[in-house]
């Protein structure tokens, strides 16, 4: 067969074994930047991308590429039009990390409710201040507002309903009440989620519809005691407007697992706010999720290159999938 699969970043053993046992040659990339991928992609039939972007320039440089598989649930880093123009199929791993990201969302909610960033900052200097003076709340009985009830949002909903006895309301124009977990109240008014919730958690993809859809206006709608959690994509939030709101303590706190720029520049002022917890896009970074993602990506590569039906095509390329990539 002799197909070459570029791995700009290592994947877990499950995925490697799946591909190697089927005769694929795995090529270790020389780096994660665009120029590295442009150099490395030549002669490769497939690529599994975790952190790198698949820009038009990369597709232009690729002479044999037939499949791109995104190691995760989002694919906003892949230029889909360029993929189509170059007859390259794009798949992803939409369910592999849902549980881990949902757990991360709960972790960030707890972190906010216990004011943990400020607590950590103060407790060495003044244990009693850290213990007694910082406001904290329970999650039990509070209202969680979800934006997006897909693979991740529905897992968050179940954890919040059954693990924390929260009320869960949700906005998702692509779902019906019958399609969301029992106990979730689907609401067709985006603003109402911000107005009513004690915690708002974002679980939708970044696309033209959602980019920058949370800014000053939405933060102004929120209760001053509420928290905003983003484990989805940094570009959903207008970061400059968010910074102003948080600097002025417009809401009680926020947690971002994702940012507009990853890694963020050290001088990004958001990093230094006491009321904003920030993580390094760690939602999917567990042993279990990366094991599954590596395997699901390997399956995607093999399905496309061996002409099988594709289990996880990105939704925008389902039609393309039927057309079949010429190998
Ligand atoms: O950490 C990873 O494996 C991925 O970057 C996660 O990607 P996702 O946020 O698109 O699921």
């Amino acid at each position: 067969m002799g197909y070459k699969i570029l791995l700009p970043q290592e994947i877990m053993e499950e995925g490697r074994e799946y591909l190697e046992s089927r005769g694929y040659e795995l090529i270790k990339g020389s780096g994660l930047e665009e120029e590295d991928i442009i150099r490395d992609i030549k002669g490769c039939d497939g690529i599994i991308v975790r952190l790198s972007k698949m820009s038009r320039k990369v597709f232009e440089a690729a002479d044999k590429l037939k499949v791109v598989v995104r190691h995760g649930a989002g694919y906003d880093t892949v230029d889909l039009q360029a993929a189509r123009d170059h007859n390259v199929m794009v798949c992803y791993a939409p369910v592999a990390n849902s549980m881990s990201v949902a757990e991360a969302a709960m972790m960030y909610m707890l972190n906010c409710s216990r004011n943990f960033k400020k607590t950590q900052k103060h407790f060495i200097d003044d244990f009693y201040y850290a213990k007694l003076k910082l406001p904290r709340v329970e999650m039990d009985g509070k209202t969680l507002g979800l934006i997006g009830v897909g693979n991740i949002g529905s897992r968050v909903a179940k954890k919040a309903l059954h693990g924390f006895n929260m009320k869960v309301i949700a906005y998702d124009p692509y779902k019906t009440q019958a399609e969301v977990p029992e106990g979730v109240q689907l609401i067709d008014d985006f603003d109402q989620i911000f107005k009513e919730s004690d915690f708002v958690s974002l679980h939708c993809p970044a696309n033209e519809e959602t980019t920058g859809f949370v800014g000053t206006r939405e933060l102004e709608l929120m209760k001053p005691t509420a928290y905003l959690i983003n484990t989805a994509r940094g570009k959903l939030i207008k970061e400059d407007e968010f910074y102003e709101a948080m600097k002025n303590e417009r809401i009680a706190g926020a947690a971002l697992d994702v940012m507009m720029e990853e890694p963020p520049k050290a001088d990004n002022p958001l990093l230094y706010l006491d009321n904003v917890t920030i993580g390094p896009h760690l939602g999917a970074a567990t042993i279990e999720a990366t094991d599954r993602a590596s395997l699901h990506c390997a399956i995607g590569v093999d399905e496309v290159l061996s002409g099988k039906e594709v289990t996880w095509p990105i939704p925008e390329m389902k039609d393309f999938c039927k057309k079949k990539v010429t190998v």
Side-chain angles (χ1 to χ4, degrees):
M1 187 195 302
Y3 288 131
K4 292 187 175 164
I5 310 303
L6 177 62
L7 303 178
Q9 193 189 19
E10 213 24 281
I11 61 167
M12 297 291 261
E13 201 47 40
E14 266 88 340
R16 291 190 68 89
E17 269 176 21
Y18 188 94
L19 289 170
E20 283 173 341
S21 65
R22 285 165 176 76
Y24 291 93
E25 185 185 345
L26 303 184
I27 310 290
K28 186 175 160 47
S30 60
L32 301 176
E33 300 305 321
E34 187 182 54
E35 62 267 27
D36 303 315
I37 314 287
I38 287 176
R39 193 171 48 245
D40 297 339
I41 198 87
K42 296 204 168 49
C44 290
D45 304 278
I47 179 170
I48 296 176
V49 271
R50 188 164 177 192
L51 303 174
S52 309
K53 290 197 174 74
M54 287 297 292
S55 64
R56 180 168 287 277
K57 280 190 189 161
V58 173
F59 284 100
E60 282 164 1
D63 51 351
K64 292 184 74 188
L65 193 64
K66 295 160 202 77
V67 57
V68 171
V69 191
R70 175 81 245 298
H71 188 282
Y75 45 87
D76 50 308
T77 47
V78 181
D79 185 330
L80 299 183
Q81 192 52 53
R84 278 181 180 273
D85 294 345
H86 290 83
N87 206 36
V88 177
M89 179 68 194
V90 184
C91 313
Y92 66 150
V95 289
N97 62 32
S98 326
M99 186 55 78
S100 288
V101 179
E103 287 184 3
M106 301 315 293
M107 181 274 285
Y108 283 118
M109 275 183 236
L110 283 165
N111 189 299
C112 283
S113 69
R114 293 308 176 107
N115 218 331
F116 202 65
K117 189 168 182 185
K118 277 190 199 162
T119 301
Q120 277 214 303
K121 181 178 166 187
H122 291 293
F123 115 104
I124 293 175
D125 293 340
D126 191 339
F127 181 93
Y128 291 107
Y129 176 84
K131 175 180 165 65
L132 302 171
K133 298 291 181 198
L134 297 172
R136 299 186 178 91
V137 293
E138 288 183 346
M139 285 165 59
D140 186 286
K142 300 291 188 306
T143 300
L144 168 63
L146 300 173
I147 305 288
V149 202
N151 292 318
I152 299 169
S154 29
R155 282 178 163 86
V156 173
K158 286 182 196 158
K159 291 177 193 309
L161 284 164
H162 307 303
F164 289 88
N165 189 36
M166 298 175 88
K167 174 182 173 188
V168 181
I169 58 175
Y171 174 82
D172 189 329
Y174 300 96
K175 297 279 179 200
T176 62
Q177 185 64 53
E179 290 171 320
V180 302
E182 202 181 331
V184 175
Q185 187 192 342
L186 203 59
I187 284 175
D188 60 9
D189 180 356
F190 179 74
D191 290 357
Q192 201 180 332
I193 298 290
F194 289 87
K195 285 181 196 159
E196 280 189 19
S197 303
D198 299 300
F199 295 82
V200 174
S201 193
L202 309 181
H203 299 288
C204 54
N207 52 38
E208 278 178 17
E209 204 183 334
T210 61
T211 296
F213 76 165
V214 179
T216 308
R217 185 185 159 281
E218 291 67 30
L219 290 157
E220 285 292 331
L221 295 175
M222 291 176 77
K223 301 179 192 175
T225 50
Y227 302 92
L228 177 67
I229 314 294
N230 187 9
T231 53
R233 282 295 182 266
K235 54 179 117 157
L236 301 179
I237 296 178
K238 290 189 194 99
E239 227 171 61
D240 48 346
E241 295 184 13
F242 173 75
Y243 172 74
E244 281 306 314
M246 297 314 296
K247 196 178 67 172
N248 296 319
E249 303 188 335
R250 174 64 198 79
I251 57 173
L256 310 178
D257 190 47
V258 285
M259 296 187 78
M260 294 266 279
E261 188 181 5
E262 292 175 11
K265 297 232 163 41
D267 63 358
N268 186 328
L270 261 183
L271 301 176
Y272 306 99
L273 290 177
D274 282 355
N275 54 355
V276 183
T277 296
I278 304 202
H281 198 150
L282 57 72
T286 63
I287 292 168
E288 293 85 352
T290 48
D291 274 348
R292 281 192 294 270
S294 74
L295 182 60
H296 294 188
C297 287
I299 291 171
V301 164
D302 182 56
E303 285 174 341
V304 175
L305 292 177
S306 57
K308 292 182 200 139
E309 193 176 339
V310 179
T311 312
W312 295 290
I314 60 157
E316 289 86 341
M317 280 187 125
K318 277 189 181 147
D319 62 317
F320 192 82
C321 181
K322 290 195 191 92
K323 223 171 65 181
K324 275 216 177 119
V325 177
T326 323
V327 289

